[in-house]
């Protein structure tokens, strides 16, 4: 083997320096634009960004090239460049599709993270994103809501304080859920199930804070680290045996982003609420006795799916074998998205009587993003709406009357766009749907 | 006229905007490259045609249309093409394409169209070129199941068309570049061959009627579409000159913009939708009684040659493909590292071992059990007669390889061997009798680079992909993978291509399929007068040389002028050839 230097010049402090070797392997195949195995012409696209922006620069591969052009002074952070970089939800679909053939050689999502950090480091972040970061620094959530509002959703529920009362389970709520009254029924349905199952749980009330993945998505890795560390400390302080999170975003943050930032995994298990409740049912601690007489399609949230795959840090570099083939010179995990959480929400839905679950063409690792995350909605609402419209069109094509999802951001965003369309397609959280079903017990079927 | 065009182009291009950028402390701050941009008048006109969101001359966007396969540790200038498109246009209709072409002509600009824009094939090859990205023209207009054809726009991909075709019992040809390619681009403007070619033909003849914006901005519908009779025929009752228009390799954009075609589909007896087996990215398709997979190996190259005749005469196998064993290995491993570890650990499956490289991979589709049994009996008889043997293949491997045969899904994995790739071929569109000699030639020419110089990929000794094109012609192509971190390796790869081409010119073995565009047409097309004919076609339809692409104009440049003098020295003294190619890689000249 001959060692080679597929890395940037010594002294290059750019966040892009570490991904130069990957960038050089992009051969503009455009696999990043389509799902790995299209089922139709209409829903073959993988990337909401390029589907909206159209120029190659909006695609995963296009952003890889933009990263190199910016780094090498071949282009500047113009308005167009910034739009192509940030009219993107960081959903990771490009990464999943790229790896069909390119394996470990490109890994576009890692380059996209580095590109955003590069832009932030150059002081070229968008005003909308600077406002989000300001809010995260000030009050621990990107919406800028007062910390004391975090627990308004549970007023009257008499939930234990996980930081003062020893509990078995720390129920992590998540910013997107805690401050949005439309999502409170979902949270209250979860609480009802946990109470029914006899789970000893509590929440952190106003001390819960963002887990950092939003800051990471926006390119502010130091802020992400500060937020993550604060939340990790809070988890440790709770002494809980398990963290059960209601937030798909935080689930991805803890499993996938914290290791990138050097934040140690919590000593206790971290479980998503869909998985936890499904386990309770399997253990006989909970029964779903209800019906929901409709065709439902399940939208895989990117954060709960491919982006929640647990990440293992590695310092592996590159080497060449067989004269020309680039391989990693030490073990390095390659994320294909298979380790995301896909089955638990489906199992829960399938437990509901009369509910017919219809899959969308793009699901699981190849799910199409709703457009709500990555700071895209805040900076480019037209793009964000466009993504949701594409996703809802796909949902309609299944014949479903309800789209269920397990992410507050997806639920909020898809719901808004579906309501605006006004054609009767309803968007519901999985637990909102479960609660609705349990309000109608089975009658002999 | 030429002077006027130059002046117009100059007027259409604004002064470059140089500016510095900020970098981390301690780093030198390179100036932004001085790249010309559109004048405000030209930009205004394009924006009026397309809408302001569909035209840009921002270098940050143009970079994505100027990306070169050469990269890694090579000089930065080589990560991008020498010439950047001056602007990117996104037309949404044939009328807009026509208007963009006419606007380019008014402003003395050139243009080059692209669909999915794979690799560097569609990058600008000269100055003042507007890239026409046909992404917004993505309609699958119609699938006519009864007549086994489709009508498509440029940005329908092979996979999208196949997904829809399968629902009505049809499938499509997918070229070796993989399923993200545009069948329209491949059929009208490039080589158009793919690994399923035994069954799905090649795109030279899958092309039926077409709609075309000429380099002068004229809209022509040709073949049956020219007479308003539908899209079913490329030759008459309207104008028909398919061969002249695309020849063997296509003009690569050099004859204008194709905006809609009729396209031949092929019967499909498999499922209406692929059911996936395995875990992403190693998805396979389930085999069945009527979809059977065989891997046959021989001890010498005469075996697969003789068997190929039997297979083609009997028509027993549906898909017939020879992949190099190491490429089968890549197909069966999701990452380079896993493939290499299997190789080093001796755990590669038999099908991916070099000793089993003399092979045919067969996928057999039937409508009934009886038909499947007949096909299997026939194949077994042919294999026995040619002294071949069947390899045991693990079901999960057979399923992945079956998916690959039908969709070309994993073919692009050859690019994992280094992001600098060059292609060549010998023995194309001729008889299978050439097969052993072609292999021998490949081994002879590649050996010094593989074994002594160690500058190209150390795979199987010859690296040929082979299949019967259209169920009769021999097709063989060789992907040469170089190290993208080494100027020496990059130069050697190009030198090897030229050596193979030269060898082919001296000892003709069918058509040299990848060597007849641009300067290579001038350098190697003379023997058959191809360069003259291509130049005649080019100049007749594009007197202003406005359409950037592969057809030569007949005008000499430094390379083609020096070629007759340099040729004997370069091939007489291989060191000189390698040095020249190294300089070419390093400095892009």
């Amino acid at each position: 083997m001959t060692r080679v230097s597929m890395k940037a010049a010594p002294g290059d402090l750019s966040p892009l320096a570490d991904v130069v070797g990957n960038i050089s392997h992009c051969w503009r195949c455009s696999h990043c634009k389509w799902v790995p195995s299209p089922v139709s012409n209409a829903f073959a696209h993988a990337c909401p960004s390029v589907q909206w922006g159209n120029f190659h620069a909006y695609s995963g591969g296009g952003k890889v090239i933009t990263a190199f052009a910016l780094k090498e002074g071949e282009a500047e952070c113009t308005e167009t460049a910034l739009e192509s970089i940030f009219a993107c939800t960081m959903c990771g679909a490009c990464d999943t599709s790229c790896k069909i053939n390119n394996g470990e050689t490109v890994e576009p999502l890692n380059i996209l993270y580095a590109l955003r950090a590069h832009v932030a480091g150059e002081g070229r972040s968008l005003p909308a994103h600077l406002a989000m970061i300001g809010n995260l620094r000030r009050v621990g959530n990107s919406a800028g809501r007062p910390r004391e509002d975090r627990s308004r959703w549970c007023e009257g529920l008499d939930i234990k304080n996980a930081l003062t009362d020893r509990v078995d389970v720390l129920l992590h709520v998540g910013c997107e859920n805690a401050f949005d009254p439309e999502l409170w029924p979902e949270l209250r349905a979860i609480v009802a199930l946990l109470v029914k199952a006899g789970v000893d749980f509590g929440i952190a009330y106003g001390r819960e804070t963002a887990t950092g993945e939003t800051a990471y998505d926006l390119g502010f890795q130091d802020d992400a680290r500060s937020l993550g560390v604060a939340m990790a400390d809070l988890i440790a302080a709770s002494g809980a045996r398990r963290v059960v999170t209601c937030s798909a975003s935080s689930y991805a943050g803890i499993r996938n982003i914290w290791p990138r930032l050097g934040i140690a995994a919590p000593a206790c298990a971290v479980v998503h609420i869909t998985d936890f409740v499904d386990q309770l049912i399997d253990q006989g601690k909970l029964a779903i006795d209800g019906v929901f007489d409709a065709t439902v399609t399940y939208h895989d949230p990117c954060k709960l799916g491919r982006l929640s795959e647990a990440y293992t840090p590695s310092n592996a570099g590159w080497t060449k074998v067989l004269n020309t083939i680039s391989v990693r010179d030490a073990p390095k995990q390659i994320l294909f998205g298979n380790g995301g959480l896909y089955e638990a929400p489906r199992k829960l839905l399938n437990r509901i009587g009369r509910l017919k679950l219809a899959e969308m063409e793009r699901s699981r690792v190849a799910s199409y993003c709703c457009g709500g995350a990555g700071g895209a909605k805040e900076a480019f609402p037209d793009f964000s709406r466009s993504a949701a419209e594409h996703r809802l069109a796909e949902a309609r094509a299944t014949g479903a009357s309800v789209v269920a999802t397990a992410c507050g951001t997806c639920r909020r965003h898809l719901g808004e766009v579906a309501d605006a369309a006004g054609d009767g397609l309803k968007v519901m959280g999985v637990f909102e749907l479960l609660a609705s079903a349990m309000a109608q017990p089975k009658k002999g079927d | 006229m030429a002077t006027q065009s130059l002046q117009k182009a100059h007027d259409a291009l604004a002064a470059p905007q140089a500016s510095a950028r900020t970098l981390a402390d301690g780093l030198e701050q390179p100036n932004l490259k001085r790249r010309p941009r559109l004048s405000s008048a030209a930009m205004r006109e394009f924006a009026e045609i397309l809408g302001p969101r569909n035209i840009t001359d921002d270098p940050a966007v143009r970079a994505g249309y100027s990306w070169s396969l050469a990269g890694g540790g090579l000089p930065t200038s080589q990560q991008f093409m020498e010439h950047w498109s001056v602007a990117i246009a996104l037309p949404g209709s044939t009328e807009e394409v026509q208007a963009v072409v006419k606007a380019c002509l008014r402003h003395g600009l050139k243009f080059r169209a692209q669909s999915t824009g794979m690799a560097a094939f569609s990058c600008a090859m000269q100055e003042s070129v507007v890239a026409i990205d046909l992404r917004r023209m993505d309609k699958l207009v119609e699938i006519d199941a009864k007549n086994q054809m489709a009508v498509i726009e440029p940005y329908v991909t092979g996979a999208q068309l196949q997904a829809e075709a399968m629902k009505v019992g049809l499938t499509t040809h997918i070229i070796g570049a993989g399923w993200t390619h545009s069948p329209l681009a491949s059929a009208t403007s490039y080589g158009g061959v793919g690994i399923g070619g035994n069954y799905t033909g090649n795109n030279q003849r899958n092309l039926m009627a077409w709609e075309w914006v000429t380099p002068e901005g004229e809209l022509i519908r040709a073949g049956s579409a020219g007479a308003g009779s539908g899209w079913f025929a490329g030759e008459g009752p309207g104008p028909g000159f398919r061969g002249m228009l695309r020849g063997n390799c296509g003009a690569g954009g050099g004859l204008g913009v194709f905006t809609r075609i009729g396209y031949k589909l092929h019967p499909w007896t498999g499922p209406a939708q692929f059911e996936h087996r395995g875990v992403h990215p190693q998805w396979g398709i389930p085999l069945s009684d009527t979809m059977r997979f065989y891997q046959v190996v021989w001890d010498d190259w005469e075996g697969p040659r003789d068997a190929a005749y039997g297979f083609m005469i009997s028509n027993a196998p549906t898909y017939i493909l020879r992949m190099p064993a190491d490429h089968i290995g890549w197909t069966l491993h999701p990452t380079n590292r896993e493939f290499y570890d299997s190789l080093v650990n001796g755990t590669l499956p038999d099908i991916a071992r070099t000793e089993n490289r003399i092979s045919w991979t067969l996928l057999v589709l039937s409508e009934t059990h009886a038909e499947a049994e007949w096909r299997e009996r026939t194949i077994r008889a042919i294999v026995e007669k040619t002294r071949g043997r069947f390899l045991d293949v693990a079901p999960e491997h057979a399923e992945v390889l079956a998916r690959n045969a039908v969709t070309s899904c994993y073919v692009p994995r050859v690019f994992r061997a280094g992001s600098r790739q060059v292609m060549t071929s010998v023995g194309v569109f001729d008889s299978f009798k050439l097969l052993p000699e072609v292999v021998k030639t490949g081994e002879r020419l590649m050996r010094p680079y593989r074994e002594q110089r160690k500058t190209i990929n150390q795979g199987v000794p010859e690296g040929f992909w082979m299949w019967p094109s259209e169920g009769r012609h021999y097709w063989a192509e060789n992907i040469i993978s170089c190290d993208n971190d080494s100027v020496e390796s990059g130069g050697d790869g190009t030198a090897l291509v030229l050596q193979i081409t030269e060898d082919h010119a001296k000892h003709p073995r069918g058509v040299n399929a990848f060597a007849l565009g641009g300067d290579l047409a001038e350098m190697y097309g003379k023997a058959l007068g191809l360069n003259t004919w291509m130049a005649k076609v080019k100049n007749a339809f594009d007197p202003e040389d406005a359409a950037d692409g592969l057809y030569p104009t007949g005008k000499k440049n430094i390379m083609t002028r020096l070629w007759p003098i340099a040729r004997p020295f370069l091939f007489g003294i291989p060191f000189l050839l390698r040095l020249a190619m190294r300089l070419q890689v390093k400095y892009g000249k």
Side-chain angles (χ1 to χ4, degrees), chain A residues 21-101:
Chain A
N22 298 74
I23 290 173
S24 74
H25 276 89
C26 176
W27 56 284
R28 205 193 191 279
C29 63
S30 284
H31 280 51
C32 52
K33 295 173 184 164
W34 287 280
V35 292
S37 187
V39 179
S40 73
N41 183 45
F43 304 118
H45 296 273
C47 171
S49 184
V50 74
Q51 199 168 4
W52 179 72
N54 283 317
F55 292 110
H56 185 69
Y58 289 79
S59 69
K63 290 179 179 74
V64 166
I65 297 171
T66 300
F68 190 80
L70 293 179
K71 183 177 182 308
E72 295 300 323
E74 297 273 359
E76 293 180 303
C77 266
T78 57
E79 195 178 322
T80 311
L82 291 170
E83 184 182 280
S84 71
I85 295 166
F86 290 105
C88 164
T89 57
M90 302 297 280
C91 72
C94 58
D95 196 76
T96 300
S97 290
C98 171
K99 285 170 178 168
I100 297 167
N101 281 316

Side-chain angles (χ1 to χ4, degrees), chain B residues 12-139:
Chain B
L13 300 174
Q17 300 167 359
S19 64
R21 69 190 183 103
T22 51
L23 277 181
D25 290 340
L27 289 183
E28 192 181 337
Q29 300 199 355
N31 288 326
L32 185 68
K33 302 295 183 294
R34 296 177 66 82
R35 300 199 185 282
R37 300 182 71 161
L38 286 181
S39 68
S40 55
M43 177 58 86
R44 193 164 49 245
E45 189 168 345
F46 284 120
E48 280 169 9
I49 295 166
L50 301 166
R53 281 200 64 85
N54 295 315
I55 178 75
T56 183
D57 64 352
D58 189 323
V61 176
R62 290 156 60 197
Y65 296 80
S66 312
W67 190 243
S68 167
L69 281 178
L74 296 179
T76 299
S77 61
Q78 288 301 286
Q79 190 79 66
F80 290 104
M81 302 298 285
E82 182 181 359
H83 302 291
W84 285 36
S85 299
V86 291
I88 317 300
L90 283 166
S93 66
T94 301
E95 291 71 25
E96 287 187 1
V97 170
Q98 208 177 353
V100 167
V101 167
K102 286 180 175 174
C104 286
L105 293 170
R106 273 195 295 279
H107 289 280
L109 298 168
K110 299 178 186 300
F111 58 89
R112 191 172 192 195
Q114 65 169 266
S115 49
T116 53
M118 179 171 281
F121 294 121
S122 54
C123 289
M125 298 167 70
Q126 50 189 320
E127 289 181 353
S128 309
V129 174
V130 173
I132 301 176
D133 182 343
L134 297 166
R135 181 182 163 82
R136 292 173 64 216
M137 297 178 68
D138 61 353
K139 291 188 198 67

Side-chain angles (χ1 to χ4, degrees), chain B residues 455-521:
Chain B
T455 47
I456 66 166
N457 177 235
Q458 190 185 4
V460 298
E462 26 64 40
F464 279 108
W465 291 62
M466 299 186 258
W467 61 85
S469 186
E470 296 188 305
R472 52 185 183 275
H473 302 124
Y474 176 43
W475 180 273
E477 70 179 76
N478 195 324
I479 313 293
I480 298 166
S481 301
C482 311
D483 179 355
N484 62 351
D485 276 286
S486 157
V487 173
E488 187 183 21
S489 174
D492 275 12
T494 313
L496 176 55
V497 168
L498 285 178
Q499 276 187 310
I500 292 173
T501 307
E502 181 75 7
D503 194 84
H504 184 76
K506 285 182 180 162
H507 311 285
R509 302 173 200 93
V511 177
N512 192 332
F514 293 115
L516 293 179
D519 288 344
L520 279 174

Side-chain angles (χ1 to χ4, degrees), chain A residues 19 29 71 92 124 133 160 187 233 241 305 312 331 343 358 365 388 399 433:
Chain A
V19 292
C29 63
K71 183 177 182 308
R124 301 303 308 272
I133 289 296
K160 286 181 183 175
L187 293 175
D233 289 348
R241 272 200 320 125
T312 307
E343 298 310 321
V365 294
L433 203 153

